[in-house]
Amino acid sequence: MSRQSLMTMTTPKSITEFHFLLTSKKATLPELISHFIANSKTQHDRLNLYITTTFDQALEKAKTLQQQLDSDPDIITKLPLFGIPIAYKDLFLTKGIRTTAGAKLLDSFIPPYSATVVDKLEAAGAISLGKLNLDAWAHGASGENSDYGPTRNPHGTDYTPGGSSSASAAAVASGCVLVSTGTDTGGSIRLPANFCGIVGLKPTYGRVSRYGIIAMSSSLDSVGHFTNNVSDSATVLSVTSGADPHDANTSGSKTFQSSPEFLNLKDITLGIPREYIYPVTNSEVKDNFADTVSLLKKAGANIVELSLPHTEAAIAVYYILQPAEVSSNLARFDGIRFGRNRSHFSPEAVRRQLIGTFTLSSGYYDAYYKTAQKVRTLIKQEFDAVFSKVDALITPVSPTPPFKIGEKVNDPVAMYLSDVFTVTANIAGISGLAIPTGKTADGLPLGIQLLGPRFGEETIYPIASQLEQLLHD
Amino acid sequence: MLTAAELDHLAGLAHLELTPDQKQSLLPQLNDIIGFIGQLQKIPTDQIDITSEVTGLSNVGHDDLTKDCLPQKLALENAIDSTRGYVRVPAIFNDDDHS
C-alpha cells in the first residue's frame, strides 16, 4: 500500500473490519498500526490522551505478528485480538513501562510486573500504543483531576470526556485505538463511554482480575474496557475474564463466552427504576431515553416500571465506603519502596484520604462507615429482588449530557453527584454496559446503560446487540 | 462539624502533612462533604447486617507451595534509597528516644 493510501485509509472501527483488511491483504499489520499511531499523534495534540507512548514497541510487535500471519494464516482464528491496537488506562501496571496513575507522585515509577489483564490481552495478540490519561488515582468523573492536564472530549473540545477513564474513552472515540482498558469503581467506565459515545463495560465484580491494577477502592473496583461496538466488547471480555489465583475475588469466575444464539426481545423483560428517571430534568437526556425505550418496546420487549427506593442514598454510601478504602489503599505510597513522598498527593487525593480516615476513626466509625455498610446491604437486596422479576434494567447513565471543562471542578460535591446513576452497580457488584443511543443538538453523545445481575453479562450483551441493531436500522 | 484540631488529628493518622493554606481551604470542603454523607444516618439500619463484600466468597485459600516470585533486584528498582539488597528507611527509634 502506498504512503498516500495509508494516509487516506479510513480508520477501521471494529475488530472484524481490521481483521478483514489483514486477511484480504488490503493492508499489512505494520501499515495498520502506523495508521493508528498517526491518528494517536494528531488526536493527542488535540485532546491530551497519552501519558506514555510505546509506538516503537508497537511497530516492532506488528512486524513480528505480520511474519507469524504470513507463515500461519490461521493465527487470526486462534488469537481473538490479533494485531488489534489497544491502550491501557495508566492505572494498569505494564512491566518495564512507566505507570503513573495520572499522578506526579508516581511520575517515574517503572513497574516490575504487568497486570494479569495486560498479559491476557497481549497473549491474545493485542498491540499496545501506550498509557492513557485519567483522573489521578481514578479520583474523578471528568478527567480534570489528572496531574498531567485534562483530556478533552473528541465531540467538542470544550467539554469533558467524563472520567476517571477519561482518555481511555476519548482514544477509542477518536480512532486512536480499537480497544482501551479502564476501571469502574463508581461509574468511571460507563460515564466516559456515555460522554464519548462509545460502548463501555463495567463487568460483574469478581469477573475480571484486579491484580496489577493500582487499587482505588478494593470492594468496588471493577476492571473493564471500551470499544466502538457491542460485539468487540464481548470479545474483549472473553479474553479478560476468568479466575486468577492472584485475585481471590475471582475464585470460581468462569471465562465469559459470547453466545452466538439469537435473542428474541419478546422473551425479555426490562425494568425502569423510577428513581433514575424523575431526577433527570435535561430534556435531551429525557427524550433520548424515552425514544430508546420506545424502540425496544416496538421490537417486542416487555417494559415495566419499578422502584429501587435506596437509590438516593447510594451516593452517600459510595462517598463513605470508597474514600475509606482509598485511605487504606493509598497508605502504601510511602515514598520509600516506590514513588515520591506523600506531599506530592494533589488536592482531591488528600480530600478523599482525609474523609476516609474520618469515617474510619474512633467515634465516627459506627455512624458513618458501619452505617454505610448496612445501607449497602439494603441496596444489594433491592437489586436481588428486582432481578427476580426482570432480566435487566435500563437507565440513563448521567442526568446531563457532557459538561464543560471547568464547570464543576471547584465544587467537589457537584462533581460527586455526576455519579448518581452509576455508583449503585458498584455497591451491589452487578454488571453494567453503557451504549450510545444518540446525540444532542450540539452533537454531544447521549446514551443509556443496561444493568444486569451478577454474572449477567450473558444477558445484557445480547440485549445490547439487539438495541445496537435497532439504532442502526 | 470538623474542627481545625480534628483535621490536624486526621492528617496525622493519614500521614499527610498539610500547610496552613491547605488546612484553611480543606476545612470547609470536608465539612461540606461530611454534611452530605451524614444524611445516611436518617435511614433506619438497626436490624440490618453489614455487607463488606459482594461475592459471598470466604476463606479462598491455596496450597502452601513455594513458587517463583519477584526477584530482589526488580523489587528494589523503584526504591528511593537502597543498599546491599535492602531498602533504607527513616529511623524508627532514635538514640535519644527511650520511651
Side-chain angles (χ1 to χ4, degrees), chain A residues 95 108-113 205-206 219 248-251 310 312-313 315-317 319-320 335-339 342 345 350-351 353-355 357-359 361 364 367-368 370-378 380 412-413 416-417 427-429 454, chain B residues 1-2 6-7 9-11 13-18 22 26 29-41 43-57 60 62 67 70 74-81 87-90:
Chain A
K95 183 173 180 174
S108 36
F109 174 62
I110 313 271
Y113 64 96
Y205 177 85
S219 79
N249 279 305
T250 63
S251 172
H310 284 94
E312 248 182 68
I315 274 272
V317 168
Y319 277 102
I320 291 173
I336 296 170
R337 296 167 297 151
F338 39 71
R342 294 173 69 74
F345 278 122
V350 169
R351 255 191 301 272
Q353 289 179 88
L354 288 171
I355 290 288
T357 306
F358 168 78
T359 59
S361 65
Y364 294 110
Y368 289 87
K370 200 165 176 187
T371 303
Q373 287 187 305
K374 290 180 172 196
V375 182
R376 183 173 197 175
T377 302
L378 294 173
K380 186 174 189 308
V413 175
Y416 296 165
L417 289 171
I427 291 167
R454 283 181 55 72
Chain B
M1 274 275 292
L2 201 67
E6 282 176 314
L7 176 55
H9 175 64
L10 292 179
L13 289 175
H15 288 231
L16 291 168
E17 275 176 38
L18 304 175
Q22 274 177 309
L26 272 168
Q29 286 174 349
L30 294 177
N31 276 315
D32 269 348
I33 297 170
I34 291 166
F36 173 69
I37 58 182
Q39 58 176 289
L40 271 195
Q41 286 153 38
I43 301 177
T45 52
D46 284 340
Q47 306 304 319
I48 311 292
D49 288 333
I50 65 166
T51 293
S52 53
E53 64 85 43
V54 295
T55 62
L57 294 167
V60 175
H62 58 86
K67 50 185 180 186
L70 203 61
L74 273 185
L76 288 173
E77 259 174 18
N78 287 284
I80 305 301
D81 183 5
V87 175
R88 280 164 51 93
V89 303

Side-chain angles (χ1 to χ4, degrees), chain A residues 211-243:
Chain A
Y211 180 72
I213 295 160
I214 296 173
M216 178 183 171
S217 179
S218 304
S219 79
L220 299 166
D221 288 348
S222 185
V223 180
H225 50 271
F226 298 86
T227 53
N228 284 310
N229 62 68
V230 173
S231 167
D232 286 357
S233 185
T235 300
V236 175
L237 185 64
S238 71
V239 172
T240 60
S241 60

